[in-house]
């Protein structure tokens, strides 16, 4: 008995434990399984795949909130079982004896009753066996206001059609959490694409209102299917992955290190055909590409793991997108070694790892004081001297040494000459050089070496310049905006509807940054002007990257965060590339600008823009002290 030592509200007093009505139970369960139209579509398509469908046709209205219809040509449901299909925990996919031996997408028997409880619902089906027996035929069962009717005869070929109208009409609270029609549509498209990759031999159509949002041919091969979904020439850049260990089998396709994107959203993983998001597997991918790809870029891939169902638990989450492996280490190892093997075969050896290790040796103190004692330090990060925040004195010093810059923007605007003067820099060392020193040489057209008062500075020209341009864009946003340069022939960039709308929604702010875009209809935008500071850039790639960055940020991000992402993305495009030969004045101008710019010690992706070594460090390195 509870002690009533505080006031209990009257309405609580005569509460008794009672069983919830079935409709309420279903609605509560629905909350876990059906969060938004995309989750309903996912469940229905999975049912169609479980039923052995060869063709699945999906239709949406209003992003799925007004109508979701999924039609398949699978095995169908006999009349006698139709009401059972809508009952909770009724399933044809397991007898419940061994929940670890699941070979289908479904097994909880929750999807149909959940969807039926939050929509105006109907299911029509014609079962395989009955297709031949004339007397039975097709039957339709509707649910109105949580109440199941009687199956009524209807006309259709073999298969099943499920219709859910007015999703969440009975649960307005859930309705409130839905995003715009456009983002709900997009989530459905993404979910369907994932399943289309999982089962490449099945044909799909997805109509979103009037428009065909996705279509994939029945019986196409896996690589064709992946190419269709990933786009941007994935197939041409894809390496085949194939590996086996014990009774694990990994297949699929992964992009060459040169084919990458800004987000990890195009990394798709399937465990026994089930699309999953698994941190372990994503981490393994990162590990395999670590030395081959910039840290802020991500390979594109689809990996299919076949594993004895007993060794993986899919019963972790109602939406079944999480899995738990019995031997996680073995799985991870297989993924890493299969990817590394394929990458090495492709001739892109992970040679960079050695030099990164070597850079670690530049570290003074412990690592250097015991030469030869063990391997190179594991991590090279942290081996650079922490960049000093610019002080007023630094800025002042910078001013004194500042080379004239064209329109105040950057060294980038200086004329580029193919054969830059490479004569040794013969300017005398000033007795009191500025903090980042005087440029002495450029190495591999990528790094600037500068002599400082008491050491050397090694600058990554691309990373450094990227930061400078980024800070300039941010300043332009605070002030009058950045100058724009009209492009001679406006460039039309095809992005897809959602991406185009996302960008066009920001057109005004992009305009302040100098990027002038207009709608071009369909999923395309027309680029009329580009930020002058970027010089000659690949507009298509710039715009595509911008939209990917914004997508990654998600709907929830505020304007400041979005603009930040835009600035960062544009800066990367507008920066002095690694591999561009710089003249001494350009190098010095860059150094001076770094001194005068806040945060210039790291690029926008957090990598250092320069490393500094003191004379003391050099002496230690050569055993002079
Ligand atoms: P689960 O998929 O977990 O079994 P569902 O509620 O999604 O649960 O479906 C219940 C049952 O209805 C399934 O087990 C299956 O027998 C039947 N069913 C559902 N959709 C289809 C379909 N498209 N084709 C054939 N049978 C279906
Ligand atoms: Mg199901």
């Amino acid at each position: 008995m509870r002690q009533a030592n505080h006031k209990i509200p009257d309405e609580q007093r005569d509460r008794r434990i009672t069983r919830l009505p079935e409709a309420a139970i279903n609605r509560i369960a629905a909350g876990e399984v059906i969060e938004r139209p995309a989750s309903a579509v996912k469940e229905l398509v999975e049912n169609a795949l479980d039923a052995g469908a060869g063709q699945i046709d999906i239709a949406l209205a209003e992003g799925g909130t007004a109508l979701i219809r999924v039609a398949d040509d699978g095995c169908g449901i006999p009349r006698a079982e139709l009401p059972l299909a809508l009952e909770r925990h009724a399933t044809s996919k397991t007898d419940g004896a061994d929940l670890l031996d699941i070979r289908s997408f479904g097994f909880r028997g929750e999807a149909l009753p959940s969807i039926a409880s939050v929509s105006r619902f109907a299911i029509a089906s014609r079962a395989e066996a009955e297709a031949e027996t004339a007397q039975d035929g097709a039957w339709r069962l509707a649910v109105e206001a949580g109440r199941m009717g009687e199956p009524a005869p209807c006309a259709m070929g073999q298969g099943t059609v499920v219709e859910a109208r007015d999703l969440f009409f009975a649960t307005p609270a859930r309705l409130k959490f839905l995003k715009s029609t456009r983002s709900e549509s997009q989530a459905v498209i993404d979910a369907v694409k994932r399943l289309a990759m999982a089962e490449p031999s099945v044909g799909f159509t997805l109509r979103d209102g009037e428009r065909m949002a996705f279509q994939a041919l029945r019986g196409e091969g896996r690589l064709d299917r992946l190419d269709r979904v990933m786009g941007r020439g994935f197939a041409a850049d894809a390496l085949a992955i194939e590996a086996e260990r014990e009774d694990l089998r990994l297949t699929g396709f992964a992009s060459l290190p040169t084919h990458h994107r800004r987000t990890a959203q195009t990394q798709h993983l399937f465990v026994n055909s089930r699309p999953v998001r698994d941190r372990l597997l994503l981490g393994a991918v990162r590990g395999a590409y670590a030395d081959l790809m910039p840290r802020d870029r991500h390979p594109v891939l689809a990996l299919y793991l076949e594993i004895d169902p007993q060794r993986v638990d899919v019963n972790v989450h109602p939406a079944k997108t999480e899995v738990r492996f019995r031997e996680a280490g073995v799985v991870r190892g297989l993924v890493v070694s299969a990817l590394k093997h394929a990458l090495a075969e492709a001739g892109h050896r992970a040679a960079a790892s050695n030099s990164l290790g070597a850079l670690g040796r530049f570290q003074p103190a412990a690592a250097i004081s015991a030469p030869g004692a063990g391997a190179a330090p594991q991590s090279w990060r942290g081996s650079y001297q922490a960049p000093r925040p610019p002080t007023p004195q630094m800025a002042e010093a910078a001013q004194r040494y500042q080379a004239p810059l064209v329109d105040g923007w950057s060294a980038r605007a200086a004329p580029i000459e193919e054969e830059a003067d490479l004569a040794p820099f013969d300017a005398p060392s000033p007795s009191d050089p500025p903090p980042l020193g005087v440029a002495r040489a450029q190495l591999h057209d990528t790094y600037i070496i500068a002599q400082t008062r008491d050491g050397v500075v090694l600058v990554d020209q691309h990373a450094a310049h990227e930061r400078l341009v980024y800070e300039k864009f941010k300043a332009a946003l605070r002030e009058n905006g950045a100058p724009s340069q009209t492009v001679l022939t406006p460039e039309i960039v095809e992005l897809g509807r959602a991406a185009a709308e996302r960008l066009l929604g920001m057109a005004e702010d992009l305009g302040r940054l100098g990027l002038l875009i207009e709608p071009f209809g369909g999923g395309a935008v027309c680029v009329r002007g580009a930020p002058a500071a970027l010089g000659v850039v690949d507009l298509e790639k710039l715009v595509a990257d911008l939209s990917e960055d914004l997508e990654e940020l998600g709907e929830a991000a505020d304007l400041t965060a979005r603009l930040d992402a835009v600035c960062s993305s544009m800066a990367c495009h507008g920066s002095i590339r690694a591999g561009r030969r710089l003249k001494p004045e350009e190098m010095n101008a860059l150094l001076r600008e770094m001194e005068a710019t806040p945060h210039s010690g790291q690029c926008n992706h957090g990598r250092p823009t320069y490393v500094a070594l003191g004379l003391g460090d050099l002496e230690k390195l050569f055993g002079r002290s």
Side-chain angles (χ1 to χ4, degrees):
M1 261 296 179
R2 260 180 295 166
Q3 276 301 124
N5 54 5
H6 59 278
K7 194 169 182 306
I8 297 171
D10 282 346
E11 68 273 17
Q12 285 287 345
R13 275 246 161 77
D14 26 71
R15 288 265 154 125
R16 295 284 174 274
I17 298 178
T18 54
R19 256 176 234 286
L20 282 172
E22 185 71 9
I25 294 175
N26 286 341
R27 216 167 275 167
I28 291 166
E32 283 180 55
V33 189
I34 310 301
E35 289 178 318
R36 58 195 301 196
S39 27
V41 171
K42 166 183 166 293
E43 293 292 338
L44 296 175
V45 172
E46 287 182 353
N47 278 348
L49 291 171
D50 281 343
Q55 177 68 36
I56 302 176
D57 299 306
I58 305 146
L60 307 177
E62 304 291 319
T65 53
L67 168 73
I68 293 169
R69 183 192 298 120
V70 177
D72 68 60
D73 57 359
C75 65
I77 307 171
R79 179 194 187 285
E81 289 173 24
L82 215 41
L84 256 187
L86 299 187
E87 223 163 85
R88 264 188 97 218
H89 306 313
T91 177
S92 56
K93 298 167 193 175
T94 171
D95 59 6
D98 190 355
L99 284 178
L100 281 177
D101 193 15
I102 301 293
R103 290 165 197 275
S104 53
F105 283 112
F107 61 89
R108 289 167 173 261
E110 278 183 327
L112 291 187
S114 297
I115 298 169
S117 73
V118 294
S119 68
R120 302 185 207 279
F121 183 90
I123 181 167
S125 197
R126 183 181 187 123
E128 208 164 15
E130 291 165 327
E132 289 123 41
T133 55
Q135 93 270 31
D136 227 0
W139 296 85
R140 182 172 190 275
L141 180 57
V143 181
E144 287 290 344
R147 217 167 276 258
M148 206 190 315
E150 277 292 310
C154 66
M156 63 181 278
Q158 188 198 309
T160 303
V161 181
V162 176
E163 246 181 43
R165 287 178 189 274
D166 302 328
L167 200 64
F168 301 131
F169 77 97
T171 44
R174 173 70 65 180
L175 209 48
K176 255 192 258 157
F177 281 100
L178 293 186
K179 299 184 181 148
S180 67
T181 303
R182 177 173 55 77
S183 20
E184 294 303 336
S185 286
Q186 193 54 47
V188 170
I189 296 169
D190 291 344
V192 170
K193 283 183 173 175
R194 271 194 291 278
L195 287 166
M197 286 192 280
E199 300 284 352
S201 61
V202 177
F204 285 84
T205 61
L206 169 58
R207 268 171 226 281
D208 181 13
E210 299 288 282
R211 132 190 119 98
M212 182 68 82
F214 177 67
Q215 186 168 20
L217 302 180
R218 183 173 186 164
E220 70 188 347
R222 191 189 262 175
L223 188 55
D224 287 334
R225 178 64 57 94
L226 292 179
D227 196 43
R228 182 187 300 282
V229 174
M230 313 275 204
R232 298 209 210 158
F234 174 73
D237 286 346
L239 301 170
I241 305 296
E242 197 155 3
E244 262 181 273
R245 182 178 295 179
E246 291 160 44
D247 48 358
L248 293 176
R249 205 172 120 76
L250 185 77
T251 54
F253 292 91
S255 66
L256 283 167
T258 45
H259 182 115
H260 43 62
R261 306 233 176 133
R262 301 211 133 217
T263 77
Q265 277 178 356
T266 39
Q267 297 182 355
H268 297 281
L269 305 163
F270 303 87
V271 175
N272 294 339
S273 288
R274 186 190 300 279
V276 299
R277 263 344 259 176
D278 185 84
R279 237 174 266 147
L280 170 102
L281 292 180
L282 290 173
V285 170
R286 207 171 315 123
Y289 279 85
D291 298 333
L292 298 170
M293 192 165 279
R295 269 205 294 151
D296 55 328
R297 304 293 299 192
H298 304 269
V300 178
L301 49 82
L303 297 178
Y304 299 79
L305 182 70
E306 288 159 55
I307 182 172
D308 176 355
Q310 303 276 356
R311 294 170 65 188
V312 57
D313 187 1
V314 292
N315 204 0
V316 182
H317 184 266
K320 296 166 288 186
T321 49
E322 279 173 39
V323 292
R324 199 169 287 149
F325 296 105
R326 292 276 171 85
E327 302 105 327
V330 179
V331 173
R332 192 192 142 87
L334 179 70
V335 171
V336 174
S337 66
L339 287 173
K340 283 201 159 172
H341 178 75
L343 290 164
E345 292 263 286
H348 291 253
R349 257 164 236 292
S353 59
N354 296 335
S355 31
L356 294 182
L359 189 52
R361 285 183 220 261
F362 271 40
Q363 184 163 25
I368 303 296
S369 59
Q378 282 289 306
S379 158
W380 65 280
R381 269 182 277 158
S383 62
Y384 51 92
Q385 181 179 314
R388 284 171 289 177
T391 61
Q393 292 89 326
M394 281 171 88
E396 202 183 284
Q399 223 105 71
R400 269 187 282 131
Y401 285 87
Q402 181 111 29
L405 300 178
V406 179
D407 72 40
W409 267 79
S410 65
R412 164 69 186 226
I416 302 168
E417 272 168 37
E418 269 312 311
E419 278 309 312
D421 177 13
L422 274 195
F425 302 171
D426 46 11
S429 295
S431 57
D432 187 17
L436 288 179
V438 176
R440 283 288 169 208
Q442 187 188 22
L443 302 183
H444 299 284
D445 297 348
T446 301
Y447 302 104
I448 299 166
I449 288 199
Q451 179 175 328
T452 57
R453 189 180 347 171
D454 49 13
V456 309
V457 155
L458 192 58
V459 177
D460 175 335
Q461 67 189 41
H462 171 71
H465 193 243
E466 182 177 3
R467 185 79 210 186
L468 299 178
V469 178
Y470 175 65
E471 291 294 335
K472 291 230 157 73
F473 276 125
K474 293 224 294 192
L477 276 180
R478 285 192 302 269
E479 293 147 29
N480 316 325
S484 177
Q485 184 159 31
T486 313
V487 291
L488 286 180
T489 37
E491 181 127 359
I492 311 301
V493 184
E494 185 59 51
L495 290 171
R497 193 167 299 246
E501 278 176 26
R502 196 178 304 121
L503 269 192
L504 289 167
M506 294 187 69
E508 200 182 317
D509 289 300
L510 295 176
R512 281 203 290 147
L513 289 167
L515 182 66
L516 310 179
I517 57 168
E518 289 170 9
F520 190 74
V525 298
C526 169
V527 187
R528 297 204 166 273
L534 299 189
V536 184
V537 286
D538 179 345
L539 283 177
E540 184 173 351
K541 188 156 187 311
L542 171 69
V543 170
D545 278 349
L546 278 184
S547 100
E548 261 188 51
D549 276 2
L550 291 170
E551 183 181 0
E552 184 184 33
L553 267 185
E555 297 286 325
D558 60 17
L559 184 65
T560 322
R562 280 160 202 265
L563 287 175
D564 233 45
V566 170
C567 290
S568 162
S569 198
M570 299 218 290
C572 188
H573 281 268
S575 300
I576 297 179
R577 292 279 143 201
R580 212 196 101 196
R581 189 158 298 180
L582 298 179
K583 296 206 250 180
E585 315 86 83
E586 290 180 290
M587 293 185 227
N588 279 314
L590 188 67
L591 292 171
R592 302 295 78 81
E593 251 196 292
M594 287 172 69
E595 287 159 354
T597 304
H599 314 302
S600 64
Q602 313 100 59
C603 76
N604 315 335
H605 314 296
R607 295 190 303 267
T609 56
Y610 69 90
V611 296
L613 284 176
L615 278 178
D617 299 327
L618 290 173
E619 281 164 5
K620 277 195 204 141
L621 200 56
F622 291 102
R624 279 162 157 260
S625 69

